[in-house]
Amino acid sequence: MPALGLSTPLELLTELQRKVRALHQIQFQIVEIVGALDQQGAAETLGYKDLIEVFKHTLRWDPKVSRRKLAQAKALCPTLTPTGSRVEPVLPGVAAAMATG
């Protein structure tokens, strides 16, 4: 892509769409990781009270951000029961859309 100042409006818009799609995909990957950490009981394993404390210490996330990510993970990520059965996400359509950007 040429320098931004030399790009046409259509080229800039196309590049913006590409970047936003990639950002959405990365945001969903973050939610998936948060969900996996929650499922694995990572806070206890790492010696923390809960994941909110883990994220506050390691990522410097505000507790509101952490709670929002945990809620998103619960709604968008599949979970496993103690017997190993897979439970589909509450919002599978949203999860699929986010995964593809």
Side-chain angles (χ1 to χ4, degrees):
M1 180 175 166
L4 294 180
L6 301 176
S7 299
T8 68
L10 184 56
E11 290 171 332
L12 289 169
L13 185 56
T14 300
E15 183 63 12
L16 180 60
Q17 287 173 321
R18 191 180 72 73
K19 298 282 189 196
V20 168
R21 190 175 309 111
L23 178 62
H24 288 165
Q25 290 171 327
I26 290 170
Q27 288 172 330
F28 183 67
Q29 291 167 4
I30 290 168
V31 169
E32 287 181 309
I33 293 168
V34 167
L37 287 167
D38 191 27
Q39 277 280 295
Q40 293 177 12
E44 184 177 310
T45 301
L46 297 169
Y48 287 87
K49 174 179 83 168
D50 55 29
L51 281 177
I52 293 170
E53 290 297 316
V54 173
F55 298 150
K56 180 179 177 182
H57 180 252
T58 61
L59 302 172
R60 310 238 187 274
W61 279 357
D62 181 90
K64 288 180 185 177
V65 172
S66 297
R67 282 191 278 281
R68 186 172 61 240
K69 294 293 182 198
L70 285 162
Q72 289 171 341
K74 289 181 188 322
L76 301 174
C77 299
T79 57
L80 294 176
T81 66
T83 61
S85 298
R86 180 181 162 105
V87 178
E88 292 304 315
V90 176
L91 301 171
V94 174
M98 285 184 72
T100 60

